[in-house]
Amino acid sequence: MAAAMKSTVEWQQGMVFNATSGTGHQVQLDGDKAVGASPMELVLAAAGGCSSVDVVSILEKARQQVTGCRCDVEGERADAVPAVFTKIHLHFVITGHDVAEKHVERAVQLSAEKYCSVAKMLEAAVEITHSYSIEQAD
């Protein structure tokens, strides 16, 4: 049987909701974006977070001296309702000591093609692209 996941989303006031994951972690959502991220912003964050976990994990297994990983995520939305994402681009900025480009390229590719369940789920309806840059750590 497939592993089940749960989340509870509870209305606070206005367009503010509190989401509690099945593991007990909380995040605030706000349809007006005044006190929390919107649900669509969290979709982008989830894609970037899921992919970043993969990339860092793969680079560490390859014994790369990574000191930082940032994923800048941009999404384009449809003009019509529902304003779904039509394109999402993930750009990874990897910082470290003598990090090999071939390992970063491989890590980003493996995340995109095999491991990131959020991106794999979204790619059925969204064009997802990836890029990366490497910065030498101080």
Side-chain angles (χ1 to χ4, degrees):
M1 185 171 111
M5 295 180 79
K6 294 183 177 184
S7 183
T8 302
V9 179
E10 191 168 354
W11 181 42
Q12 302 300 301
Q13 62 184 11
M15 288 293 110
V16 178
F17 296 80
N18 214 29
T20 305
S21 70
T23 53
H25 301 282
Q26 294 191 342
V27 64
Q28 194 170 55
L29 297 86
D30 184 357
D32 292 330
K33 302 179 208 162
V35 297
S38 74
M40 291 300 278
E41 288 173 319
L42 290 176
V43 169
L44 290 182
C50 183
S51 294
S52 294
V53 165
D54 296 336
V55 168
V56 169
S57 174
I58 293 164
L59 289 173
E60 285 184 340
K61 286 178 183 152
R63 301 196 195 295
Q64 296 299 293
Q65 295 178 30
V66 176
T67 60
C69 174
R70 185 179 81 237
C71 185
D72 298 322
V73 189
E74 280 190 40
E76 290 183 26
R77 294 177 71 179
D79 289 333
V81 174
V84 298
F85 286 115
T86 55
K87 295 181 181 180
I88 294 175
H89 182 75
L90 296 92
H91 178 75
F92 296 90
V93 179
I94 305 300
T95 307
H97 300 284
D98 301 318
V99 176
E101 183 173 356
K102 68 176 185 176
H103 286 296
V104 175
E105 183 178 16
R106 179 177 171 270
V108 170
Q109 183 178 4
L110 281 171
S111 175
E113 294 176 1
K114 186 173 183 181
Y115 293 115
C116 179
S117 49
V118 174
K120 294 302 286 177
M121 184 174 58
L122 291 172
E123 76 181 10
V126 182
E127 177 188 329
I128 300 179
T129 55
H130 303 78
S131 61
Y132 63 85
S133 58
I134 302 169
E135 298 177 353
Q136 188 68 11
D138 296 331

